[in-house]
Amino acid sequence: MKLLDEDTFISGPPRSLVLEDGFRFHHGQVLAPFTIVYETFGELNSERTNAILVCHALTPGPHVAGKYEAQDNAKPGWWDGMVGYGKGIDLDHHFVVCVNFPGSPWGTTAPRTIDPTTGKPYGSRYPWVTVEDMVESQRLVADHLGIARFRAVVGSSLGGMQVLMWAARHPNR
């Protein structure tokens, strides 16, 4: 991590979890293989107890905070005012995870992704995405990272709906 100034930092690149056996949507459809893109910020402690899940709204992706490069015109993450070193969600103490949910155009398998069986984009054949699907993709990434329980799950707008679904589906996590 490199601090650029008092306001932001250089973040790492997005990461991918590839599910070779596919992702099962809430309504039963399976797309395989399936890629889930996510970003992490800060350091996960050895007990894996300092993780916070940030759920994004409809239009942004998983780039919550920081900049990918040091240029003045580089755009910081969409919640850079809230997540960072010395900020509300302080990366000196917390490890933040943000998962790009299914169907989003920011890297996760989506309608524009090429269907390997047809060689054409999924387009309108892509399954209808539910909030349950969003939470399931986040759970899969948490399991991949070895996070059994989040310290907090936060989000606004559609992200807030995901927070409620976490409470309903995974209250012990």
Side-chain angles (χ1 to χ4, degrees):
M1 178 275 313
K2 176 184 173 189
L3 288 175
L4 290 178
D5 53 38
E6 292 182 16
D7 291 329
T8 197
F9 59 97
I10 296 291
S11 64
R15 298 160 68 182
S16 296
L17 172 60
V18 178
L19 307 172
E20 292 297 336
D21 293 333
F23 180 83
R24 178 171 299 281
F25 286 81
H26 181 70
H27 294 295
Q29 308 95 322
V30 176
L31 295 184
F34 196 89
T35 299
I36 302 171
V37 170
Y38 65 97
E39 291 193 31
T40 63
F41 309 87
E43 297 293 325
L44 186 60
N45 65 20
S46 60
E47 299 84 20
R48 298 186 173 319
T49 58
N50 67 330
I52 294 176
L53 177 65
V54 173
C55 303
H56 70 79
L58 185 61
T59 57
H63 188 59
V64 173
K67 294 180 176 183
Y68 292 131
E69 54 193 53
Q71 296 175 354
D72 287 338
N73 64 346
K75 189 173 181 177
W78 54 268
W79 224 5
D80 195 68
M82 176 65 79
V83 177
Y85 297 90
K87 296 181 182 178
I89 299 176
D90 191 343
L91 297 179
D92 282 322
H93 305 285
H94 302 291
F95 176 72
V96 171
V97 179
C98 187
V99 178
N100 184 217
F101 55 70
S104 174
W106 303 107
T108 295
T109 300
R112 71 178 182 175
T113 303
I114 301 298
D115 177 348
T117 62
T118 67
K120 297 178 182 177
Y122 285 108
S124 63
R125 293 177 295 109
Y126 193 86
W128 285 97
V129 179
T130 66
V131 174
E132 290 93 339
D133 296 322
M134 296 170 191
V135 168
E136 179 61 10
S137 69
Q138 295 158 351
R139 185 198 62 79
L140 289 167
V141 169
D143 289 353
H144 172 71
L145 295 173
I147 300 168
R149 184 178 176 101
F150 285 105
R151 176 162 285 185
V153 180
V154 299
S156 62
S157 188
L158 178 57
M161 298 300 104
Q162 296 164 58
V163 171
L164 293 172
M165 189 58 67
W166 265 96
R169 292 186 65 118
H170 305 292
N172 295 325
R173 290 197 72 176

